[in-house]
Amino acid sequence: MPSDRDLKIVITVTEEPLYINPFIRRVIEAIPSDIKRIYIVEGTVVRGDSVREKINYLITLGIISGPLHLLKRAVLAGGFKLFNVVPYLKHRNPLSIATAAKQLGIPVTYVEDIRSEAFLSQLRREKPTIIINQAQAILTEEFLSIPEIGCLNRHCALLPKYRGLLSPFWTYLNGEKESGVSIHFIDNEIDNGPILVQKRTGIERFDTFDSVLEKDFRLAPDAMLEAIDLIRKGDYKKHLISNDKSSATYFSKPTISDALRYRRVMLSRWFHGE
């Protein structure tokens, strides 16, 4: 039987106060001695290359989530940003991963460009066993080659189906009965690496995109911790699940038209059970 091994885990993450930050917080609180450093990558999880695209994406999310959830997102995002723009408050932000890390004695470094040679050189010096990546960036082969075992990603879908963006939205819109979370190794294709852990949750009649997303993220910390435990025990390879590219589906960010179609599907499901 393989014996448990010591792990050196590095986390790279773009902060998002509603879902990603609580997910990372639960992981680091469970295994603080294994987390050697957290790199907070500057940027936003709001999709779009231009201001216009970002505004359209926010309008689309507003149509999908409705006014109450939109208000919740706005209040959390506004509070998070308010703390971060004041230097004295930035390291006391209760919604930030940095604050939780400081309480646990985990070093935090802010990074502007995850692809820069300066950052990659620093990451090589860390000599991580694994990297947990939740940064909003395309990872280079140089980045992926650094950890001894590999890079892990949390994806809110049952891969190989629903690769891509905002997967719980597409899962709901397409009338699936299940959603879930996949912890998989990252390679140089989108959501393509072998899966280490999957956890499932049902999609019920009165669910919404937001409730499905919340269900997925409730599963995510335990799924990631289970994956880390398998790696720690040394026998993780026998647990790998195929992420078969031939069975994959891929979806990009929804449009305003997709959001309006979602509202019709949601109301039909609520009132007619369809």
Side-chain angles (χ1 to χ4, degrees):
M1 293 290 291
S3 59
D4 290 3
R5 60 172 298 180
D6 293 331
L7 298 178
K8 293 177 67 176
I9 300 173
V10 168
I11 297 175
T12 51
V13 59
T14 302
E15 291 204 283
E16 183 279 318
L18 192 56
Y19 295 108
I20 294 176
N21 287 11
F23 159 59
I24 294 295
R25 178 189 287 264
R26 281 189 56 191
V27 171
I28 67 175
E29 286 175 344
I31 51 168
S33 62
D34 292 317
I35 311 299
K36 302 310 175 186
R37 185 173 297 274
I38 298 174
Y39 290 97
I40 295 179
V41 182
E42 305 285 2
T44 175
V45 298
V46 176
R47 303 285 180 170
D49 295 328
S50 66
V51 173
R52 181 176 180 179
E53 287 181 353
K54 286 181 168 63
I55 290 172
N56 282 342
Y57 184 68
L58 289 172
I59 292 171
T60 301
L61 282 181
I63 295 170
I64 293 168
S65 293
L68 290 179
H69 280 281
L70 186 62
L71 178 62
K72 178 182 177 181
R73 289 172 188 269
V75 169
L76 283 173
F80 177 77
K81 286 185 178 295
L82 181 62
F83 271 88
N84 277 359
V85 297
V86 180
Y88 175 78
L89 296 177
K90 184 171 184 177
H91 299 288
R92 295 167 175 79
N93 187 343
L95 299 173
S96 174
I97 294 167
T99 302
K102 181 179 180 181
Q103 294 168 349
L104 296 166
I106 299 170
V108 172
T109 300
Y110 287 86
V111 179
E112 288 188 7
D113 184 1
I114 200 173
R115 294 176 293 273
S116 71
E117 184 53 41
F119 167 72
L120 293 173
S121 295
Q122 184 173 353
L123 193 57
R124 289 187 194 99
R125 291 193 293 271
E126 298 279 358
K127 297 181 178 179
T129 313
I130 57 176
I131 295 173
I132 298 172
N133 180 65
Q134 293 288 267
Q136 299 297 311
I138 301 298
L139 303 178
T140 63
E141 289 195 15
E142 289 87 350
F143 180 102
L144 296 174
S145 69
I146 289 172
E148 176 189 346
I149 290 177
C151 299
L152 293 177
N153 179 49
R154 175 262 342 138
H155 183 73
C156 286
L158 297 172
L159 294 172
K161 302 294 186 184
Y162 295 100
R163 298 181 182 191
L165 304 178
L166 219 64
S167 299
F169 168 82
W170 297 107
T171 303
Y172 184 98
L173 186 62
N174 291 337
E176 302 288 355
K177 302 300 182 185
E178 281 188 315
S179 184
V181 65
S182 300
I183 307 299
H184 69 95
F185 285 103
I186 304 171
D187 64 14
N188 57 7
E189 297 187 49
I190 296 173
D191 301 326
N192 186 66
I195 301 158
L196 190 46
V197 172
Q198 276 191 332
K199 293 188 178 293
R200 298 171 179 268
T201 184
I203 300 178
E204 309 298 334
R205 176 177 175 179
F206 294 106
D207 271 326
T208 63
F209 156 71
D210 289 278
S211 67
V212 173
L213 184 62
E214 288 167 5
K215 286 181 178 182
D216 289 345
F217 267 98
R218 281 198 293 271
L219 297 174
D222 288 341
M224 182 61 75
L225 291 169
E226 184 177 324
I228 291 167
D229 195 49
L230 290 173
I231 292 171
R232 189 192 310 281
K233 287 179 167 55
D235 60 351
Y236 68 93
K237 289 185 179 179
K238 71 181 184 182
H239 295 275
L240 292 176
I241 303 165
S242 174
N243 192 355
D244 184 4
K245 190 174 182 179
S246 66
S247 302
T249 58
Y250 175 86
F251 294 88
S252 187
K253 61 184 178 184
T255 64
I256 290 175
S257 176
D258 294 322
L260 293 171
R261 183 160 61 94
Y262 160 83
R263 300 299 292 185
R264 292 194 296 270
V265 168
M266 184 188 71
L267 292 173
S268 178
R269 178 176 285 184
W270 283 9
F271 290 107
H272 305 294
E274 298 176 356

